């Protein structure tokens, strides 16, 4: 079994990849053959029949049509593409029919990050963690516009829609880290809506689950907040260095007066930060679009506390 | 016609005899450029299909260079993985405008409205198109549509991609409405041209010019016109619905109100897939003319080439779902769409085989237009074969919305249509202006375009197969070398296009007088018209004595002026 990237294709790290890559090779070599055939004929004719002096004074003696030949180049390509069609369709069916014993992960796409909810109650952002050699069913939906879930190494792609569940599945057969991309254009940070799929051995996966469900209890809240800032994708919109991005910077927010789009203003305290995270549309900071997604259900209480503590620490630093 | 080897015996009265040639300019004294009236007004109010073609030439080429500069800016930004010259929003606006301008303002009108307008009546021995006023109206409607689109650019340019997918397009804060209304208006321009061509081909062919004696360029334009008339209204309705959705929130595509965003995609591609053939069929028409003329051969399998255009036009309406294989259509739907996609590929393959075989036993000249024809054959074959790759369902799942798709459609649209357009411009330029360009510069520019194009886009096949998604402002490190190579190619190609323009521009004033039939072609615009033609094309309606490519019966006279 081939498990490394080739010149054309990324590492085949899922069970369906083999079949798809085989079809790729088949089509590739057939195409190369026909391309070289056309090119070869073109070059040979161009040299052999290039115009020479006096040529234009004679009548065209070449054939003007040949029905058997026409039939041949209609029938042969048709047969070939029929093979490709059937092969491609069967591969597609394998990719769409979810095995019954799959583990189910709920995937949510929103501008501009992915969140994953696991059967055991754990959750993660932009970082899909799965056990190796286990079929994983993805039940996907979007909170806003259309996104598309794509893992090149698994040869898996499915649009993620706002109005219905979309289903995809894969079974990773290699331990490792693989790129996860959004492939349906979704606005400003479309190209930042990327993450990783971490395929762990079954034992590692079990201990990961344990860690993440217990939470990082006992960890310093500011430290945990700093981690969540990246892990929960706050960083795609908020900086901590004072530069505004899609959203205001966290630097120096806490304890300062915030102006809102409706003209009112307020001193940023713990409750305001908490409200901003859970119902971001309640108050819109002046000069920004109301694009922040709600984190209701995505963060546990302890995590919200940690984020508040972290933002608070950034406010103090700037004093 | 029993007597075989005759030279073309055009009605002599139709060609300029030596004393009708102006000694100073070397061109015929009477021609549409000088005798159609003087001053700007005479051009802006002209009803002459040839002058309308020139109006289109100026505006459509301008659109090409605007869209092209945007492409270069995009490639410049992508040279390195991180933010360089633009921010994310500007980049998104750039690729949207590049796509929208190239599709709606450049490539759809390009060949039909420029070259089709100029040569269609000439090739069928007509004095003009069937509805000259409608023809002029189509240009004004085009200008109006372009103007409305410009409003979007100067307010806050749309950032939706040229496909305007909902619900993004109905929720973004950029100005989408001017863009969709512009597209709506431009659609009418396209319909006017199509309607005009259909009626012209049916009604105005010179006596004796039966369907199978017509040049294949005319077949190509005819098949295109059918799609223009049948498919464009669907685009009109779609963008209108989208406009209403944005302006009044009617909710037809809005999930929050029970609408369906995927419905929009079906509407959109129901037009835009056939539109792909609006873009390529006329180019295929040019190809047939170029291959035949420059090998002095009867087109191999004329009827197969002609009917394959019609077959493409019909089947192209039934494959739109292949743009949406990842959107969750039913298995039956994807199966049918995949199957028909393979079937629509066959007629194109027929054409490629027939063109190649036409070269056999020919007398092949490597004039500049022929270089573009051979370039087309090379590039379009790659474009077509990669279409087979993504027609296969399981492969498309991996390749959909990656650079593989970007590369594929650029091979078809630029490697096909733009190569054909430039080949066609080089071919008919001496007819349009009466003067010849520099062959040396022409060959040099061709090499730049050809090499630059392959550098740019072949690289993108590799990027896409390796998983690089399209419409990305930044990208992961591992793709950097290929992106840099692709960007370098784009600069080479850009320089090539610039040199093409300079060469042609220079020829208008300074080129040597070309003569009425410099290529020894057998179609009417060469055998029966002066270069440039007189305002009404022919002094007398030409008599049709042989078909468009009957080099087996007629030896053409290479007619140089004077
Ligand atoms: Cu996206
Ligand atoms: Cu299509």
């Amino acid at each position: 079994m081939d498990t490394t990237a080739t010149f054309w294709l990324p590492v085949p790290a899922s069970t369906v990849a083999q079949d798809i890559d085989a079809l790729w090779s088949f089509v590739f070599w057939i195409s190369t053959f026909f391309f070289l055939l056309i090119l070869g004929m073109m070059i040979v004719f161009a040299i052999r029949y290039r115009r020479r002096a006096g040529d234009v004074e004679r009548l065209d003696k070449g054939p003007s049509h040949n029905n058997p030949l026409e039939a041949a180049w209609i029938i042969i390509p048709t047969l070939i593409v029929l093979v490709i069609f059937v092969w491609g369709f069967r591969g597609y069916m394998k990719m769409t029919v979810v095995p019954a014993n799959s583990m189910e992960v709920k995937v949510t796409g929103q501008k501009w990050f992915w969140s994953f909810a696991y059967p055991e109650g754990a959750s993660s952002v932009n970082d899909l963690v799965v056990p190796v050699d286990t079929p994983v069913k993805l039940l996907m939906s979007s909170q806003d516009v259309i996104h598309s879930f794509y893992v090149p190494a698994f040869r898996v792609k499915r649009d993620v829609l706002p109005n219905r569940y979309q289903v995809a599945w894969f079974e990773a057969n290699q331990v490792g880290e693989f790129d996860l991309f959004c492939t349906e254009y979704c606005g400003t940070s479309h190209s930042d809506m990327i993450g990783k799929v971490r395929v762990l051995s079954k034992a590692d996966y079990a201990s990961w689950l344990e860690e993440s469900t217990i939470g990082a209890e006992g960890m310093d809240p500011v430290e945990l907040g700093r981690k969540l800032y990246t892990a929960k994708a706050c960083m795609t919109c908020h900086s901590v260095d004072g530069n505004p991005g899609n959203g205001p910077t966290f630097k120096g927010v806490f304890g300062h007066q915030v102006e809102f789009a409706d003209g009112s203003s307020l001193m940023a305290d713990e409750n305001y930060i908490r409200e901003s995270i859970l119902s971001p549309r309640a108050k819109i900071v002046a000069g920004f679009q109301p694009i922040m997604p709600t984190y209701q259900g995505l963060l546990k209480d302890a995590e919200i506390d940690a984020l508040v503590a972290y933002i608070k620490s950034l406010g103090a630093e700037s004093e | 016609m029993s007597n075989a080897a005759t030279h073309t015996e055009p009605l002599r009265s139709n060609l300029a005899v030596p004393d009708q040639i102006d000694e100073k300019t070397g061109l015929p004294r009477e021609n549409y450029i000088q005798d159609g009236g003087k001053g700007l007004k005479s051009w802006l109010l002209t009803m002459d299909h040839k002058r309308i073609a020139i109006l289109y030439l100026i505006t459509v080429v301008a659109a090409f260079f605007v869209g092209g500069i945007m492409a270069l800016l995009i490639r410049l930004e992508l040279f390195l993985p991180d933010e360089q010259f633009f921010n994310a929003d500007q980049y998104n606006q750039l690729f949207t405008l590049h796509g929208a301008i190239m599709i709606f303002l450049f490539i759809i009108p390009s060949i039909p409205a420029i070259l089709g307008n100029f040569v269609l009546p000439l090739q069928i021995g007509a004095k003009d198109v069937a509805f000259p006023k409608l023809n002029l109206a189509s240009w004004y409607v085009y200008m109006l549509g372009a103007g409305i689109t410009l409003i979007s650019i100067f307010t806050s340019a749309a950032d939706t991609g040229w496909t305007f997918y909902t619900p993004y397009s109905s929720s973004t804060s950029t100005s989408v409405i001017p863009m969709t209304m512009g597209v709506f208006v431009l659609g009418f321009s396209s319909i006017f041209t199509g309607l005009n061509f259909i009626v012209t081909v049916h009604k105005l062919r010179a006596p004796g010019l039966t369907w199978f004696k017509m040049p294949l360029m005319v077949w190509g334009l005819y098949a295109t016109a059918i799609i223009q008339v049948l498919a464009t209204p669907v685009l009109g309705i779609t963008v209108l619905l989208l406009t209403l959705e944005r302006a009044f929130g009617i909710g037809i595509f809005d999930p929050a109100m029970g609408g369906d965003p995927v419905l929009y995609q079906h509407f959109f591609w129901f037009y835009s897939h056939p539109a792909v053939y609006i873009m390529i069929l006329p180019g295929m028409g040019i190809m047939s003319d170029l291959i035949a003329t420059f090998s002095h051969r009867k087109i191999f399998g004329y009827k197969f080439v002609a009917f394959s255009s019609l077959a493409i036009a019909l089947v192209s309406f039934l494959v739109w779902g292949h743009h949406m294989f990842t959107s969750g259509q039913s298995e039956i739907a994807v199966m049918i769409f995949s199957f028909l996609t393979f079937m629509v590929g066959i007629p194109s393959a027929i054409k490629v085989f027939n063109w190649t075989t036409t070269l056999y036993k020919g007398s092949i000249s490597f004039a500049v237009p022929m270089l573009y024809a051979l370039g087309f054959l090379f590039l379009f074959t790659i474009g077509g074969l990669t279409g087979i790759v993504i027609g296969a369902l399981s492969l498309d799942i991996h390749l959909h919305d990656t650079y593989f798709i970007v590369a594929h459609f650029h091979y078809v649209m630029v490697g096909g249509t733009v190569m054909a357009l430039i080949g066609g411009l080089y071919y008919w330029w001496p007819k349009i202006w009466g003067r010849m360009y520099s062959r040396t510069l022409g060959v040099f520019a061709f090499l730049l375009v050809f090499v630059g194009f392959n550098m740019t886009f072949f690289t993108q096949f590799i990027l896409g197969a390796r998983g690089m998604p399209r419409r990305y402002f930044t990208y992961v490190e591992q793709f950097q070398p290929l992106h840099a190579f692709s960007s370098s190619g784009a600069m080479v190609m850009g320089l090539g296009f610039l040199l093409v323009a300079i060469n042609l521009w220079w020829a208008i004033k300074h080129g040597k007088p070309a003569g009425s039939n410099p290529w020894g072609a057998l179609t009417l615009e060469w055998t029966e018209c002066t270069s440039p033609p007189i305002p009404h094309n022919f002094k007398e309606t030409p008599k049709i004595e042989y078909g468009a490519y009957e080099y087996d019966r007629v030896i053409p006279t290479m007619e140089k002026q004077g």
Side-chain angles (χ1 to χ4, degrees):
Chain A
M1 196 171 72
D2 214 354
T3 52
T4 49
T6 61
F7 176 76
W8 286 96
L9 297 169
V11 207
S14 77
T15 47
V16 294
Q18 295 291 323
D19 177 59
I20 294 169
D21 294 8
L23 177 56
W24 164 276
S25 302
F26 180 71
V27 182
F28 180 84
W29 288 113
I30 296 248
S31 301
T32 307
F33 170 78
F34 277 100
F35 175 70
L36 292 179
L37 182 74
I38 301 280
L39 185 67
M41 278 166 46
M42 206 167 97
I43 292 175
V44 169
F45 294 162
I47 295 174
R48 173 81 180 70
Y49 302 111
R50 68 186 180 280
R51 186 167 297 171
R52 300 180 177 84
D55 254 7
V56 274
E57 293 301 315
R58 63 172 176 80
L59 281 178
D60 164 22
K61 289 274 190 302
S64 69
H65 63 280
N66 180 330
N67 288 344
L69 200 56
E70 298 280 352
W73 65 48
I74 293 174
I75 293 169
I76 295 172
T78 305
L79 292 179
I80 294 174
V81 296
L82 281 178
V83 173
I84 300 173
F85 159 68
V86 172
W87 192 339
F89 179 63
R90 290 174 61 179
Y92 177 84
M93 290 310 285
K94 265 187 241 162
M95 301 165 81
T96 26
V97 179
V98 188
N101 58 340
S102 305
M103 144 188 168
E104 186 173 304
V105 177
K106 173 83 184 63
V107 180
T108 308
Q110 53 192 295
K111 288 176 180 170
W112 287 280
F113 62 95
W114 299 99
S115 45
F116 306 100
Y118 302 81
E120 295 81 359
S123 70
S124 64
V125 168
N126 281 349
D127 209 13
L128 174 60
V129 184
V130 294
V132 72
D133 295 329
T134 310
V136 177
K137 171 183 174 184
L138 305 171
L139 188 66
M140 308 193 285
S141 62
S142 162
Q143 296 288 325
D144 38 51
V145 299
I146 302 176
H147 304 279
S148 191
F149 177 94
Y150 176 39
V151 182
F154 298 165
R155 318 286 188 263
V156 165
K157 184 180 292 129
R158 194 72 164 183
D159 293 357
V160 179
L161 303 174
N163 59 331
R164 65 174 89 121
Y165 287 122
Q166 288 274 61
V167 175
W169 79 276
F170 61 84
E171 178 178 334
N173 56 12
Q174 261 187 60
V175 171
E177 256 192 29
F178 306 101
D179 288 319
L180 156 65
F181 297 129
C182 172
T183 46
E184 183 61 61
Y185 172 71
C186 56
T188 311
S189 300
H190 169 53
S191 56
D192 288 331
M193 196 167 159
I194 62 182
K196 290 277 180 209
V197 180
R198 275 197 291 144
V199 180
L200 305 180
S201 70
K202 285 183 177 154
D204 286 349
Y205 178 72
S207 50
W208 174 81
L209 262 188
E210 215 162 296
E211 258 173 50
S212 57
T213 33
I214 298 170
E217 261 159 41
M219 199 170 175
D220 170 35
V222 175
E223 257 326 288
L224 179 58
R226 190 193 312 279
K227 269 199 163 155
L228 292 168
Y229 166 73
T230 342
K232 301 291 174 185
C234 314
M235 41 94 89
T236 48
C237 300
H238 297 283
S239 78
V240 289
D241 60 4
N243 294 318
N246 293 313
T249 180
F250 284 162
K251 186 173 173 183
V253 174
F254 195 85
H256 280 79
Q257 205 70 16
V258 182
E259 311 255 324
F260 298 111
D262 62 6
S264 62
S265 71
L266 185 126
M267 165 82 89
D269 57 7
E270 286 87 347
N271 266 324
Y272 167 69
I273 304 289
R274 185 185 173 83
E275 183 194 57
S276 294
I277 297 172
L278 294 179
S279 28
R281 306 264 154 121
K283 303 191 179 66
I284 305 300
V285 182
F288 292 92
Q289 298 292 320
I291 50 166
M292 174 159 163
T294 169
Y295 278 83
Q296 193 94 48
L298 282 175
L299 296 171
K300 290 191 272 305
D301 258 355
E303 294 175 323
I304 298 173
D305 295 346
L307 278 166
V308 172
Y310 175 56
I311 294 173
K312 210 167 155 181
S313 75
L314 293 168
E317 272 166 23
S318 71
E319 299 290 304
Chain B
M1 286 301 102
S2 49
N3 60 328
T6 52
H7 283 238
T8 58
E9 282 306 334
L11 303 174
R12 277 288 144 190
S13 54
N14 265 345
L15 288 186
V17 287
D19 69 326
Q20 291 168 331
I21 303 272
D22 188 320
E23 284 109 51
K24 266 223 312 287
T25 61
L27 301 183
R29 271 184 226 286
E30 189 191 2
N31 67 54
Y32 79 99
I33 302 172
Q34 281 164 20
D35 298 282
K38 295 230 176 337
L40 194 61
K41 210 175 128 203
S42 77
W43 283 87
L44 291 180
L45 296 179
T46 183
M47 239 89 84
D48 180 347
H49 66 100
K50 300 184 287 305
R51 288 184 157 216
I52 294 172
I54 304 292
L55 295 179
Y56 265 117
L57 174 70
I58 296 167
T59 44
V60 168
V61 168
F64 175 71
F65 277 96
V66 173
I69 287 169
M70 288 172 170
L72 291 183
L73 294 179
I74 291 171
R75 284 315 319 170
L76 215 58
E77 175 66 45
L78 292 175
F79 200 94
L80 293 172
D82 303 321
E83 178 165 341
Q84 305 298 325
F85 308 100
F86 304 104
N87 63 33
D89 288 321
Q90 291 166 334
Y91 175 84
N92 294 341
Q93 291 169 320
L94 265 180
F95 78 68
T96 301
L97 292 175
H98 164 71
I101 290 175
M102 285 305 201
I103 298 280
F104 296 112
L105 292 177
F106 166 66
I107 205 162
I108 288 182
S110 64
I111 296 180
I114 302 172
L115 293 173
N117 255 330
F118 199 96
V119 304
L120 178 81
L122 299 180
Q123 289 200 321
I124 62 172
K127 285 190 154 65
D128 206 317
V129 292
F131 309 115
K133 284 184 187 154
L134 188 67
N135 202 13
L136 181 63
S138 92
W139 184 72
Y140 278 100
V141 172
Y142 171 85
M143 292 304 282
L144 181 67
I148 298 176
T149 314
L150 282 182
I151 297 179
S152 169
I153 300 184
F154 288 113
T155 47
S156 73
D159 70 339
T160 56
W162 76 278
T163 46
F164 310 119
Y165 271 19
T166 54
Y168 187 77
S169 58
S170 39
S171 57
T172 171
S173 61
T174 55
S175 64
V176 175
I177 292 185
M179 198 69 122
T180 52
M181 287 320 289
V183 169
F184 180 75
V185 172
L186 286 167
F188 284 95
S189 161
S190 183
I191 294 173
F192 288 178
T193 304
L195 201 67
N196 224 333
F197 284 4
I198 292 179
V199 179
T200 305
V201 172
H202 275 278
K203 289 294 174 197
L204 298 186
R205 277 174 291 130
L209 185 64
T210 55
W211 283 80
F212 294 124
K213 284 190 174 152
M214 294 195 314
L216 286 160
M217 170 73 171
V218 178
W219 277 94
L221 289 169
Y222 181 78
T224 308
I226 293 177
I227 312 181
Q228 284 178 301
V229 171
L230 293 182
T232 316
V234 180
L235 175 72
I237 295 164
T238 309
V239 291
L240 207 57
L241 283 172
L242 177 55
T243 308
L244 293 175
E245 175 99 18
R246 254 188 93 85
F248 305 111
I250 56 171
I252 177 167
F253 305 128
D254 180 2
M257 299 172 73
D260 183 3
V262 178
L263 179 65
Y264 171 85
Q265 299 180 16
H266 282 287
F267 281 177
F268 182 82
W269 290 113
F270 188 85
Y271 164 78
S272 293
H273 189 81
V276 170
Y277 293 99
I278 294 182
M279 305 176 213
I280 191 69
L281 278 170
M284 293 170 153
I286 292 180
M287 266 301 281
S288 298
D289 275 25
L290 294 185
I291 296 271
T293 299
F294 291 99
S295 14
H296 276 195
R297 282 271 283 126
K298 196 167 184 170
I299 271 285
F300 191 84
Y302 175 101
K303 287 191 181 170
F304 286 92
V305 179
F307 281 121
S308 61
S309 290
L310 291 185
I312 289 173
L314 296 180
V315 184
S316 73
F317 279 95
L318 306 173
V319 299
W320 78 89
H322 67 203
H323 297 267
M324 303 160 56
F325 283 155
T326 60
S327 72
Q329 301 174 74
S330 73
E331 279 83 18
I332 292 290
V334 294
M335 183 178 88
I336 294 171
F337 282 129
S338 168
F339 176 76
L340 291 171
T341 299
F342 284 115
M343 291 305 115
V344 82
I346 300 293
S348 298
I350 296 176
K351 284 182 195 280
V352 168
F353 285 125
N354 279 303
W355 289 326
T356 313
T357 316
T358 303
L359 299 174
Y360 176 63
K361 292 202 168 176
S363 154
I364 299 169
S365 139
F366 297 102
V368 184
M370 185 60 162
L371 296 181
Y372 281 87
L374 297 176
F376 177 112
L377 210 50
F378 183 103
L379 301 174
F380 181 76
T381 302
I382 296 181
L385 289 169
T386 51
I388 298 294
V389 177
I390 49 184
L393 274 164
S394 62
L395 287 176
D396 184 67
I397 300 301
H398 175 56
L399 298 169
H400 177 71
D401 269 342
T402 67
Y403 267 68
F404 197 91
I405 305 293
V406 177
H408 162 70
F409 70 71
H410 280 90
Y411 262 83
V412 178
M413 305 282 78
V414 183
T417 310
V418 175
M419 296 302 266
L421 171 70
I422 298 181
L425 284 173
Y426 273 124
Y427 179 51
W428 282 297
W429 207 248
K431 183 54 63 181
I432 298 175
W433 303 103
R435 295 181 186 280
M436 193 58 95
Y437 40 82
S438 149
R439 177 162 191 276
T440 320
L441 184 55
V443 172
F444 180 65
F446 167 77
L447 290 176
L448 289 185
V449 169
F450 185 77
V451 171
F453 176 86
N454 283 299
M455 284 173 69
T456 312
F457 291 108
F458 198 82
T459 317
Q460 297 187 5
F461 282 125
I462 307 172
L463 277 169
R466 292 183 182 179
M468 169 75 209
R470 67 192 284 203
R471 296 177 170 175
Y472 262 30
F473 168 55
T474 55
Y475 51 86
V476 292
E477 199 68 45
Q478 77 226 36
F479 296 127
Q480 199 273 331
L482 289 171
H483 268 298
F485 188 74
S486 175
S487 292
S488 324
M491 305 301 148
V492 176
M493 177 169 47
L495 181 64
F497 284 134
L498 191 65
L499 291 181
V500 170
I502 290 173
N503 197 5
L504 293 177
W505 176 256
W506 173 87
I508 294 177
K509 275 259 173 308
H510 308 286
K512 279 209 205 70
S516 61
N517 193 1
W519 315 122
L522 286 183
T523 45
L524 294 176
E525 79 276 27
W526 300 107
T527 56
E528 300 280 350
C529 288
T530 54
S531 303
I534 59 172
H536 287 293
N537 302 347
F538 308 97
K539 290 211 175 81
E540 293 168 30
T541 307
K543 282 207 197 68
I544 310 301
E545 291 171 344
Y546 41 83
Y549 313 113
E550 288 188 345
Y551 287 96
D552 52 343
R553 291 181 41 218
V554 190
I555 295 173
T557 324
M558 297 268 208
E559 195 96 31
K560 312 271 181 194
Q561 214 107 26

